[in-house]
PDB file of all heavy atoms in Angstrom:
ATOM      1  N   ILE A  30      53.715 -15.829  60.986  1.00 63.00           N
ATOM      2  CA  ILE A  30      52.438 -15.271  61.456  1.00 63.00           C
ATOM      3  C   ILE A  30      51.708 -14.562  60.312  1.00 63.00           C
ATOM      4  O   ILE A  30      50.501 -14.726  60.097  1.00 63.00           O
ATOM      5  CB  ILE A  30      52.695 -14.305  62.623  1.00 63.00           C
ATOM      6  CG1 ILE A  30      53.264 -15.084  63.822  1.00 63.00           C
ATOM      7  CG2 ILE A  30      51.408 -13.580  63.003  1.00 63.00           C
ATOM      8  CD1 ILE A  30      53.711 -14.183  64.946  1.00 63.00           C
ATOM      9  N   ARG A  96      10.763 -19.605  42.967  1.00 90.00           N
ATOM     10  CA  ARG A  96       9.505 -18.852  43.044  1.00 90.00           C
ATOM     11  C   ARG A  96       9.290 -18.197  41.682  1.00 90.00           C
ATOM     12  O   ARG A  96      10.219 -17.581  41.140  1.00 90.00           O
ATOM     13  CB  ARG A  96       9.579 -17.799  44.155  1.00 90.00           C
ATOM     14  CG  ARG A  96       9.762 -18.388  45.540  1.00 90.00           C
ATOM     15  CD  ARG A  96       9.874 -17.306  46.609  1.00 90.00           C
ATOM     16  NE  ARG A  96      11.078 -16.492  46.438  1.00 90.00           N
ATOM     17  CZ  ARG A  96      12.276 -16.837  46.884  1.00 90.00           C
ATOM     18  NH1 ARG A  96      12.452 -18.006  47.511  1.00 90.00           N
ATOM     19  NH2 ARG A  96      13.318 -16.035  46.719  1.00 90.00           N
ATOM     20  N   ALA A 175       5.007 -14.784 -10.705  1.00 98.00           N
ATOM     21  CA  ALA A 175       5.553 -14.295  -9.441  1.00 98.00           C
ATOM     22  C   ALA A 175       4.451 -13.801  -8.513  1.00 98.00           C
ATOM     23  O   ALA A 175       4.465 -14.072  -7.298  1.00 98.00           O
ATOM     24  CB  ALA A 175       6.554 -13.176  -9.717  1.00 98.00           C
ATOM     25  N   SER A 186      -1.068 -17.301   6.346  1.00 84.00           N
ATOM     26  CA  SER A 186      -1.472 -16.839   7.679  1.00 84.00           C
ATOM     27  C   SER A 186      -2.968 -16.985   7.900  1.00 84.00           C
ATOM     28  O   SER A 186      -3.439 -16.884   9.036  1.00 84.00           O
ATOM     29  CB  SER A 186      -1.058 -15.379   7.878  1.00 84.00           C
ATOM     30  OG  SER A 186       0.348 -15.242   7.876  1.00 84.00           O
ATOM     31  N   ASP A 192     -11.815 -21.099   8.974  1.00 92.00           N
ATOM     32  CA  ASP A 192     -12.401 -19.887   8.407  1.00 92.00           C
ATOM     33  C   ASP A 192     -12.000 -18.655   9.209  1.00 92.00           C
ATOM     34  O   ASP A 192     -12.793 -17.752   9.435  1.00 92.00           O
ATOM     35  CB  ASP A 192     -13.930 -19.993   8.349  1.00 92.00           C
ATOM     36  CG  ASP A 192     -14.524 -19.014   7.336  1.00 92.00           C
ATOM     37  OD1 ASP A 192     -13.845 -18.726   6.332  1.00 92.00           O
ATOM     38  OD2 ASP A 192     -15.654 -18.541   7.555  1.00 92.00           O
ATOM     39  N   GLY A 242     -11.440  12.248   1.578  1.00 68.00           N
ATOM     40  CA  GLY A 242     -12.475  13.113   2.104  1.00 68.00           C
ATOM     41  C   GLY A 242     -13.812  12.400   2.144  1.00 68.00           C
ATOM     42  O   GLY A 242     -14.075  11.471   1.380  1.00 68.00           O
ATOM     43  N   LEU A 329     -22.096  -9.378  -2.601  1.00 77.00           N
ATOM     44  CA  LEU A 329     -21.721  -9.580  -4.001  1.00 77.00           C
ATOM     45  C   LEU A 329     -20.220  -9.551  -4.226  1.00 77.00           C
ATOM     46  O   LEU A 329     -19.747  -9.845  -5.310  1.00 77.00           O
ATOM     47  CB  LEU A 329     -22.374  -8.492  -4.870  1.00 77.00           C
ATOM     48  CG  LEU A 329     -23.903  -8.417  -4.806  1.00 77.00           C
ATOM     49  CD1 LEU A 329     -24.399  -7.240  -5.634  1.00 77.00           C
ATOM     50  CD2 LEU A 329     -24.521  -9.720  -5.300  1.00 77.00           C
ATOM     51  N   MET A 355       4.565  -2.204  -8.515  1.00 98.00           N
ATOM     52  CA  MET A 355       5.462  -2.739  -9.543  1.00 98.00           C
ATOM     53  C   MET A 355       5.224  -2.035 -10.874  1.00 98.00           C
ATOM     54  O   MET A 355       4.088  -1.720 -11.236  1.00 98.00           O
ATOM     55  CB  MET A 355       5.210  -4.249  -9.671  1.00 98.00           C
ATOM     56  CG  MET A 355       5.852  -4.908 -10.870  1.00 98.00           C
ATOM     57  SD  MET A 355       4.671  -4.947 -12.269  1.00 98.00           S
ATOM     58  CE  MET A 355       5.821  -5.085 -13.640  1.00 98.00           C
ATOM     59  N   GLY A 434     -45.760  16.934 -30.995  1.00 58.00           N
ATOM     60  CA  GLY A 434     -44.870  16.544 -29.900  1.00 58.00           C
ATOM     61  C   GLY A 434     -43.464  16.220 -30.319  1.00 58.00           C
ATOM     62  O   GLY A 434     -42.692  15.673 -29.519  1.00 58.00           O
ATOM     63  N   PHE A 471     -14.010  28.218 -31.847  1.00 91.00           N
ATOM     64  CA  PHE A 471     -14.688  27.093 -31.203  1.00 91.00           C
ATOM     65  C   PHE A 471     -14.440  25.800 -31.977  1.00 91.00           C
ATOM     66  O   PHE A 471     -14.243  24.739 -31.389  1.00 91.00           O
ATOM     67  CB  PHE A 471     -16.191  27.369 -31.101  1.00 91.00           C
ATOM     68  CG  PHE A 471     -16.917  26.383 -30.218  1.00 91.00           C
ATOM     69  CD1 PHE A 471     -16.748  26.403 -28.845  1.00 91.00           C
ATOM     70  CD2 PHE A 471     -17.771  25.426 -30.771  1.00 91.00           C
ATOM     71  CE1 PHE A 471     -17.411  25.497 -28.032  1.00 91.00           C
ATOM     72  CE2 PHE A 471     -18.434  24.515 -29.964  1.00 91.00           C
ATOM     73  CZ  PHE A 471     -18.255  24.552 -28.592  1.00 91.00           C
ATOM     74  N   ASP A 478      -8.382  20.302 -29.395  1.00 91.00           N
ATOM     75  CA  ASP A 478      -8.147  20.239 -27.940  1.00 91.00           C
ATOM     76  C   ASP A 478      -9.300  19.599 -27.181  1.00 91.00           C
ATOM     77  O   ASP A 478      -9.395  19.736 -25.968  1.00 91.00           O
ATOM     78  CB  ASP A 478      -7.911  21.654 -27.388  1.00 91.00           C
ATOM     79  CG  ASP A 478      -6.698  22.316 -28.021  1.00 91.00           C
ATOM     80  OD1 ASP A 478      -5.661  21.628 -28.143  1.00 91.00           O
ATOM     81  OD2 ASP A 478      -6.792  23.502 -28.383  1.00 91.00           O
ATOM     82  N   LEU A 480      -9.754  16.472 -26.666  1.00 92.00           N
ATOM     83  CA  LEU A 480      -9.148  15.474 -25.793  1.00 92.00           C
ATOM     84  C   LEU A 480      -7.915  16.091 -25.139  1.00 92.00           C
ATOM     85  O   LEU A 480      -7.106  16.743 -25.807  1.00 92.00           O
ATOM     86  CB  LEU A 480      -8.759  14.223 -26.577  1.00 92.00           C
ATOM     87  CG  LEU A 480      -9.918  13.469 -27.225  1.00 92.00           C
ATOM     88  CD1 LEU A 480      -9.415  12.206 -27.906  1.00 92.00           C
ATOM     89  CD2 LEU A 480     -10.987  13.118 -26.198  1.00 92.00           C
TER      90      LEU A 480
END
Side-chain angles (χ1 to χ4, degrees):
I30 295 173
R96 297 178 295 277
S186 295
D192 201 31
L329 302 176
M355 168 267 157
F471 191 71
D478 299 316
L480 297 183

